[in-house]
Amino acid sequence: MQPVFETERLRLRPFELTDARTVQELAGDLAVARTTLSIPHPYTLEAAEQWLTACIGRKDEGDGYPWAMVIKDSNQLIGCMSLNITRPHNHGELGYWIGPPYWRNGYASEAAQRLVRYGFEDLHLNKIWAAALSNNQASWNVMRKTGMALEGEFKQHILKWGQYEDVVFYGMTKGDYEQLTKQTI
């Protein structure tokens, strides 16, 4: 069973099929599609429903944990924070998107820090990593705030909308995490 987490301002809960319309509206924004590796534009309601069905299936199989990011005070869904697990290598990929009305509020960093803690302390992962388009500085700032370090940049790594884009990779090992938590105690 996928846990529900609460941070200072957020509740991270499993997605439900009833979230489809809000997911379509938020993730369907051109600004979100422009800054992510794989969200298409336009993003239809049918695509959102298919994505949510896949999320629920991955959660049940234990290899992917997508959480709906919800503001506690208003119960407003604002985005997604996920931890996708590769069991044979004992690592997880942190992925996320937030609807533009909620950008620049620190929500992604707040949620990411909670999931990094979950990944290392509860799932006992050896490594957590994340990737972003190299021109998406807001995304790699989130990675840095979790304690991840730049591991490299892959030049022209993906083809997005007819143009090759560079991708940056950030990561943290369990040892890095333990060292970081010792420093903050």
Side-chain angles (χ1 to χ4, degrees):
M1 173 170 252
Q2 183 174 343
V4 173
F5 298 115
E6 293 207 2
T7 65
E8 182 181 338
R9 301 175 295 165
L10 300 172
R11 179 174 300 107
L12 304 172
R13 63 159 173 82
F15 275 102
E16 302 164 355
L17 286 177
T18 55
D19 294 323
R21 175 68 62 198
T22 305
V23 166
Q24 186 266 328
E25 290 170 3
L26 295 174
D29 190 294
L30 179 60
V32 172
R34 192 176 281 134
T35 60
T36 60
L37 297 173
S38 60
I39 295 177
H41 187 77
Y43 192 61
T44 64
L45 180 59
E46 180 183 14
E49 289 168 345
Q50 289 171 353
W51 180 77
L52 287 168
T53 300
C55 285
I56 292 166
R58 294 191 73 218
K59 171 192 67 152
D60 292 343
E61 294 166 13
D63 63 353
Y65 298 93
W67 280 270
M69 295 174 54
V70 177
I71 297 174
K72 285 195 304 192
D73 292 344
S74 65
N75 205 34
Q76 177 62 48
L77 173 64
I78 64 170
C80 173
M81 183 68 58
S82 63
L83 190 59
N84 298 308
I85 311 300
T86 304
R87 293 278 175 211
H89 303 292
N90 200 30
H91 63 70
E93 177 188 9
L94 190 67
Y96 43 88
W97 58 263
I98 293 182
Y102 308 101
W103 287 1
R104 292 180 274 290
N105 288 295
Y107 293 129
S109 297
E110 187 175 321
Q113 289 167 354
R114 181 60 186 99
L115 288 195
V116 165
R117 189 170 101 210
Y118 174 67
F120 287 125
E121 294 180 8
D122 296 302
L123 297 178
H124 306 288
L125 297 175
N126 182 60
K127 181 175 184 174
I128 296 176
W129 64 279
L133 295 173
S134 64
N135 62 5
N136 186 354
Q137 185 171 355
S139 187
W140 27 285
N141 282 341
V142 170
M143 297 172 202
R144 288 178 180 159
K145 288 177 183 176
T146 67
M148 291 185 195
L150 178 65
E151 293 188 340
E153 182 174 4
F154 288 14
K155 299 290 185 184
Q156 298 184 5
H157 189 62
I158 65 165
L159 182 62
K160 183 168 182 79
W161 300 349
Q163 193 164 349
Y164 290 99
E165 299 281 349
D166 301 345
V167 177
V168 293
F169 292 85
Y170 279 74
M172 174 191 304
T173 65
K174 185 170 184 108
D176 297 333
Y177 174 77
E178 290 168 347
Q179 189 66 32
L180 185 67
T181 55
K182 284 180 189 174
Q183 293 172 0
T184 57
I185 292 177

